[in-house]
């Protein structure tokens, strides 16, 4: 798919791609075969990168399900402190992404990816052995930091190893399916492992996956890297890191009791101001952390917005579905986890076929269709009844999951298409940022559902199942409408700028 800026030329031979001088160690991988079929070497690359993506996606959901057992096992003093087990990983993952995207350009994507996998594996082992709340939270911070290393490097490696076109579309499609599957299986696996063994085995499972990813990382073929970046933009790195930290912290912690509270509004306002200062600094720095010419590209800024929409509305709806199954239907955690299998299966099937759709229709049309399908499936959740109807539950969640994986793969494809070699690391990091900033979707939809439930209950502190269901329906319909509006916007803001 072409964009307004010219796409990079096809890769020449490996010898021609190897940069001269001491940096010649960073050589190109052999040019991929024509078409979308993968050779053995490309399968090694794809499996390794998808394994790391799956590991990072699994990390958040598998821990979320195990939180009650973690709290009782380690003696957390309150629900608020226990929530830091999840938040301690989310915050560094989001705030350090731009920094490590630039570090990938400085030290090499493959090197940063391998380092990230090593750090993640070691801290997962540390989390499994933690015997106090403080040690576990410290290990979770380490896991989140490692995820911030892995995410931008993995996407940049994928766009580097696979040429723009059918191969890259297929690779990104499988990666998107694995990302969605990791979240779904995390919810299921967390319940099974915690019920049958101990929450510590969830960390052992992550550690084992890290060992597998590390073995693949060490066997990855060499790849061409531009080596254009020579120094770090320290002021930009500081402003971006603390700005994103404040924004995500305020969004994540303000959903329960309102974003107008000082401990939520203060970090959000501070984060916005720091990010505004970051943009001013980037205008003058000779080697900015994120070039404004990259940020101003329509395919980058608008695709990022649609990434926030698809991640935010899907993640928020998934949380509402969990509340529906447990608070309204009375499902156990294991039953609720099994009910997500339809969504996971639909995402997997969609990931297998999205490459063909991208090749035939282009990223912009698939993105619009994905948001349309996701929105339609989410709006249909208004029909979910007070008593269990597995058919309706599986159909609506599956339609939402199918549209979501179409949206995720196509927005990343549009965002990374036509990007120069020297900007692949930065754009790879930007393409991963929406899934963390999308915490605003979870908080907003939860707040809408809670407000509607309270209104239906007439202010009662003990709402009925019908009141709770009415609130959840309000949040689900809101999520669907936002996705549908996003689908309409795709055609307005991207179609004229990205010819098929």
């Amino acid at each position: 798919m072409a964009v307004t800026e010219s796409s990079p030329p096809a890769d020449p031979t490996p010898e021609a791609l190897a940069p001269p001088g001491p940096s010649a160690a960073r050589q190109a991988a052999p040019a991929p075969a024509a078409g979308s079929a993968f050779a053995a070497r490309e399968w090694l690359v794809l499996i390794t990168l998808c394994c790391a993506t799956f590991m990072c996606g699994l990390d958040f959901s598998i821990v979320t399900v195990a939180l009650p057992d973690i709290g009782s096992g380690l003696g957390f003093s309150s629900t608020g402190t226990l929530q830091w087990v999840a938040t301690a990983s989310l915050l560094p993952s989001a705030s350090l992404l731009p920094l490590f995207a630039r570090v990938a350009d400085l030290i090499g994507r493959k090197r940063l990816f391998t380092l990230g996998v090593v750090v993640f594996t070691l801290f997962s082992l540390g989390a499994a052995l933690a015997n106090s709340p403080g040690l576990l939270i410290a290990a979770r911070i380490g896991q989140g930091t490692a995820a911030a290393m892995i995410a931008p490097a993995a996407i940049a490696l994928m766009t580097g190893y696979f040429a723009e076109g059918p191969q890259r579309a297929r690779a990104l499609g499988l990666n998107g399916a694995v990302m969605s599957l990791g979240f779904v299986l995390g919810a299921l696996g967390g319940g099974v492992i915690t019920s049958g063994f101990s929450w510590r085995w969830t960390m052992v499972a992550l550690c084992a996956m890290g060992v597998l990813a590390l073995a693949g990382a060490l066997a990855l073929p060499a790849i061409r890297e531009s080596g254009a970046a020579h120094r770090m933009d320290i002021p930009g790195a500081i402003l971006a890191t603390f700005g994103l930290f404040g924004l995500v912290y305020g969004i994540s912690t303000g959903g329960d009791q309102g974003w107008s509270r000082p401990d939520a509004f203060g970090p959000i306002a501070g984060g916005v101001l720091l990010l505004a200062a970051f943009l001013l600094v980037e205008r003058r720095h000779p080697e900015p952390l994120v070039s404004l010419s990259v940020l101003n590209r329509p395919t980058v800024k608008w695709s990022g917005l649609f990434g926030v929409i698809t991640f935010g509305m899907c993640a928020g709806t998934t949380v509402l579905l969990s509340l529906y199954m447990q608070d309204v239907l009375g499902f156990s955690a294991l039953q609720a986890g099994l009910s997500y299998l339809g969504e996971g299966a639909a995402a997997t099937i969609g990931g297998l076929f999205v490459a063909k759709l991208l090749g035939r229709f282009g990223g912009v049309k698939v993105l619009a269709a994905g948001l349309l399908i996701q929105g339609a499936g989410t709006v249909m959740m208004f029909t979910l009844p007070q008593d269990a109807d597995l058919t309706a539950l599986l159909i609506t969640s599956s339609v939402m999951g199918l549209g979501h994986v179409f949206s995720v793969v196509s927005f990343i494809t549009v965002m990374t298409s036509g990007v120069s070699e020297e900007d692949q690391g930065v754009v790879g990091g930007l393409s991963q940022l929406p899934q963390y900033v999308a915490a605003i979707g979870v908080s907003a939809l939860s707040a809408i559902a809670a407000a509607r439930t309270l209104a239906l209950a007439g202010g009662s502190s003990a709402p009925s199942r019908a009141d709770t269901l009415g609130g959840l329906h309000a949040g689900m319909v809101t999520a669907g409408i936002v996705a549908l509006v996003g689908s309409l916007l795709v055609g307005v803001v991207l179609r004229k700028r990205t010819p098929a």
Side-chain angles (χ1 to χ4, degrees), residues 20 26 29 79 108 141 163 177 265 413 461:
R26 301 182 187 178
T79 303
I141 292 173
F265 178 77
T413 301
S461 59

Side-chain angles (χ1 to χ4, degrees), residues 209-355:
M209 292 200 66
V211 171
L212 292 175
L214 178 59
L218 295 175
L220 287 176
I223 185 172
R224 179 187 72 174
E225 302 200 26
S226 67
H230 300 291
R231 60 174 172 166
M232 175 59 68
D233 172 14
I234 300 297
I238 293 173
L239 290 170
T241 299
F242 284 99
L244 286 171
F245 183 94
L247 190 64
V248 176
Y249 174 80
I251 290 171
S252 301
T253 59
D256 293 335
Q257 300 183 25
W259 293 324
S260 61
R261 294 165 56 239
D263 55 349
F265 178 77
I268 292 175
V272 170
L273 290 175
L274 288 174
L275 291 175
F278 165 75
L279 294 177
L280 294 176
V281 168
E282 298 305 271
R283 291 180 179 274
R284 300 183 178 182
H285 199 281
E287 288 193 32
L289 190 74
V290 181
S291 172
L292 293 186
S293 63
V294 171
L295 284 178
N296 286 330
R297 290 187 61 168
T299 51
V300 171
K301 63 183 180 183
W302 288 115
S303 295
L305 172 63
F306 297 127
V308 171
I309 289 175
T310 185
F311 274 118
M313 296 305 101
C314 185
T317 304
T318 301
V319 171
L320 297 184
L321 278 177
S322 178
L323 295 174
Y324 168 70
M325 288 185 282
Q326 296 186 60
D327 294 349
V328 177
L329 301 183
F331 282 8
S332 67
L334 181 57
Q335 288 175 316
L338 288 171
S339 300
Y340 285 123
L341 288 179
E343 181 181 340
T348 302
I349 294 171
L352 296 175
F353 289 97
V354 67

Side-chain angles (χ1 to χ4, degrees), residues 91-465:
L91 289 176
S93 296
S95 57
L96 294 174
L97 266 175
L99 171 63
F100 282 121
R102 191 57 169 172
V103 171
D105 293 329
L106 288 170
I107 71 172
R109 303 168 200 163
K110 180 183 173 184
R111 188 175 299 170
L112 181 65
F113 175 80
T114 305
L115 177 61
V117 171
V118 170
V119 173
F120 189 94
T121 305
L122 291 176
F123 277 106
S124 296
L125 179 60
L129 300 175
N131 58 7
S132 70
L135 288 176
L136 179 60
I137 290 175
R140 295 289 293 157
I141 292 173
Q143 286 177 306
T145 302
M149 299 180 190
I150 294 170
I155 290 296
L157 283 171
M158 194 165 287
T159 57
Y161 279 118
F162 298 101
E164 189 172 328
Q167 274 211 334
R168 183 183 295 178
R170 188 181 178 200
L172 289 173
L174 292 173
N175 187 70
V178 165
M179 184 188 302
S180 299
L181 194 61
F183 182 84
V184 173
L185 291 185
L188 174 60
V192 172
I193 293 173
T194 304
S195 300
F197 301 96
S198 163
W199 67 266
R200 295 184 186 276
W201 285 97
T202 62
M203 297 294 106
V204 173
L206 292 172
C207 186
M209 292 200 66
V211 171
L212 292 175
L214 178 59
L218 295 175
L220 287 176
I223 185 172
R224 179 187 72 174
E225 302 200 26
S226 67
H230 300 291
R231 60 174 172 166
M232 175 59 68
D233 172 14
I234 300 297
I238 293 173
L239 290 170
T241 299
F242 284 99
L244 286 171
F245 183 94
L247 190 64
V248 176
Y249 174 80
I251 290 171
S252 301
T253 59
D256 293 335
Q257 300 183 25
W259 293 324
S260 61
R261 294 165 56 239
D263 55 349
F265 178 77
I268 292 175
V272 170
L273 290 175
L274 288 174
L275 291 175
F278 165 75
L279 294 177
L280 294 176
V281 168
E282 298 305 271
R283 291 180 179 274
R284 300 183 178 182
H285 199 281
E287 288 193 32
L289 190 74
V290 181
S291 172
L292 293 186
S293 63
V294 171
L295 284 178
N296 286 330
R297 290 187 61 168
T299 51
V300 171
K301 63 183 180 183
W302 288 115
S303 295
L305 172 63
F306 297 127
V308 171
I309 289 175
T310 185
F311 274 118
M313 296 305 101
C314 185
T317 304
T318 301
V319 171
L320 297 184
L321 278 177
S322 178
L323 295 174
Y324 168 70
M325 288 185 282
Q326 296 186 60
D327 294 349
V328 177
L329 301 183
F331 282 8
S332 67
L334 181 57
Q335 288 175 316
L338 288 171
S339 300
Y340 285 123
L341 288 179
E343 181 181 340
T348 302
I349 294 171
L352 296 175
F353 289 97
V354 67
K356 293 182 179 180
L357 296 175
L358 288 169
R360 181 171 182 178
F361 299 106
V364 174
K365 290 183 179 179
V366 176
L367 176 56
L371 287 170
L372 177 64
I373 295 170
Q374 178 180 330
T378 311
V379 168
M380 286 193 301
M381 290 179 185
F382 183 75
T383 63
L384 293 177
Q386 188 170 315
D387 297 313
D389 184 345
L390 288 179
T391 300
L393 178 59
L394 291 174
I395 289 176
T396 54
S397 62
S398 297
V399 172
M400 181 186 73
L402 180 66
H404 178 61
V405 77
F406 284 172
S407 302
V408 170
V409 175
S410 53
F411 102 75
I412 294 177
T413 301
V414 173
M415 181 178 280
T416 57
S417 295
V419 176
S420 65
E421 178 67 22
E422 65 186 54
D423 290 326
Q424 285 290 353
V426 169
V427 176
L430 293 176
S431 71
Q432 298 301 291
L433 195 57
Q435 63 183 306
Y436 300 107
V437 177
I440 190 173
V442 178
S443 299
L445 295 181
S446 298
I448 290 171
R452 179 57 177 164
T453 298
L454 186 63
L456 292 174
S460 172
S461 59
S464 66
R465 289 170 60 208

